[in-house]
Amino acid sequence: MKFDLDTAWKDATGLLSRNFGLLAVIAGVFFFLPYAGITLALPEVSQLQNAQATGNPEVMMAAVTDLYVGYWWVFLILAVVQGAGLLAMLALVRRRANPTVGEALTTGARSVPSYIAAQLMQSALIVIVAMLLVGFGAVTGLQMLAALGGVIAFVVICYLVTKLSLAAPVIAIEGELNPLRALQRSWSLTRGNSMRLFAFYLLLLIAFIVLSAVLSLVFGLGFALFGEQAALLGEAVVSGFVNATMIVIMVCVLAAVHTQLNRLASEPDGAVEA
């Protein structure tokens, strides 16, 4: 059998409805408050958003560099906190022992080093692949080859991200604390369903981008009517809300996908190569 998009979405919405209250609380503490707080506390964040509005890649890159060089330690702490929150939510919705919130948070805190290590390994692999494919075209000096290398690199990166997307559920739900084995397990689970899984993720991403753009526009204009400070506050609140909402939905989707692919892998015909 193959991965079924409709079943995965129904399972994800079921998980969301059954666990909405607890997920909202954890997402509020681990994602909404930190994200909104950073947006308000760091003026460079608003400068970055202004740079993005210009559409100038050089200005945007300079703003990103200034932000991360100046506050790298803030983003490191944020990555640890949000990683723990993500893992806690995954454990909460799918651990067979039905853990309490406290047990789920403990699982998140204990698993976050493995999760961060897996993310670093995945990022390193993506960077190496991108550098090799894009760099080969750039070295030849031929614009067409460089462009082709960029397109191929983008496709390969999308494939790698899809194949390794279940590392977090493997760590939080299955309890696999070895980051390399977690990535290998994700690769194995997605075998034979990579294209369907990518299509599922892509559809959700498009829907989320459209929804977040509409919300940001509507609420941003509403807050802007009350002055510059209100607009800044509104931007932080809306950004934090959108970020927390995305994480809650992502958690339920990843848990549902992991459950379905785990079930398919255990069936006699679940080992089809692709």
Side-chain angles (χ1 to χ4, degrees):
M1 292 181 65
K2 291 290 186 178
F3 173 73
D4 186 82
L5 282 68
D6 186 55
T7 299
W9 179 245
K10 288 179 180 178
D11 289 346
T13 54
L15 288 173
L16 179 61
S17 63
R18 289 194 300 272
N19 302 279
F20 179 76
L22 294 176
L23 289 175
V25 171
I26 296 176
V29 172
F30 285 87
F31 293 92
F32 173 76
L33 291 178
Y35 195 87
I38 284 178
T39 303
L40 288 172
L42 302 182
E44 286 80 1
V45 174
S46 60
Q47 294 173 11
L48 173 60
Q49 292 166 343
N50 292 334
Q52 291 173 337
T54 66
N56 188 323
E58 294 182 0
V59 174
M60 291 167 58
M61 184 59 66
V64 169
T65 302
D66 290 343
L67 180 62
Y68 281 93
V69 168
Y71 298 99
W72 62 268
W73 56 274
V74 174
F75 292 100
L76 178 60
I77 295 173
L78 185 65
V80 173
V81 170
Q82 294 192 337
L86 173 68
L87 296 169
M89 286 191 285
L90 283 167
L92 185 67
V93 298
R94 271 307 186 200
R95 279 274 184 166
R96 289 188 176 86
N98 296 320
T100 63
V101 174
E103 290 171 339
L105 292 175
T106 300
T107 298
R110 185 178 66 247
S111 306
V112 74
S114 301
Y115 171 73
I116 291 177
Q119 291 297 303
L120 290 174
M121 293 169 69
Q122 178 178 326
S123 299
L125 176 62
I126 289 172
V127 169
I128 291 171
V129 169
M131 288 179 64
L132 288 175
L133 292 174
V134 176
F136 175 76
V139 167
T140 62
L142 298 175
Q143 242 179 354
M144 184 174 295
L145 277 180
L148 180 61
V151 172
I152 295 173
F154 178 75
V155 173
V156 173
I157 288 170
C158 289
Y159 178 75
L160 290 175
V161 170
T162 301
K163 293 292 292 180
L164 303 176
S165 62
L166 298 183
V170 169
I171 291 171
I173 298 172
E174 298 184 16
E176 177 57 75
L177 297 182
N178 184 308
L180 180 58
R181 284 205 293 263
L183 293 172
Q184 291 172 336
R185 171 69 171 158
S186 176
W187 192 281
S188 175
L189 282 173
T190 55
R191 184 180 299 124
N193 292 288
S194 303
M195 292 303 298
R196 287 171 175 263
L197 194 55
F198 173 74
F200 184 52
Y201 290 156
L202 182 61
L203 289 173
L204 292 176
L205 179 61
I206 293 172
F208 182 79
I209 289 174
V210 172
L211 181 60
S212 63
V214 171
L215 288 175
S216 298
L217 179 62
V218 172
F219 287 101
L221 288 174
F223 279 102
L225 294 175
F226 297 95
E228 184 178 347
Q229 291 302 317
L232 183 60
L233 175 62
E235 186 177 327
V237 170
V238 172
S239 299
F241 174 78
V242 168
N243 183 57
T245 301
M246 178 189 70
I247 294 298
V248 169
I249 295 174
M250 185 181 77
V251 162
C252 295
V253 166
L254 289 177
V257 169
H258 173 266
T259 298
Q260 184 181 157
L261 292 182
N262 195 36
R263 182 173 64 248
L264 292 177
S266 65
E267 294 176 355
D269 59 342
V272 179
E273 296 285 338

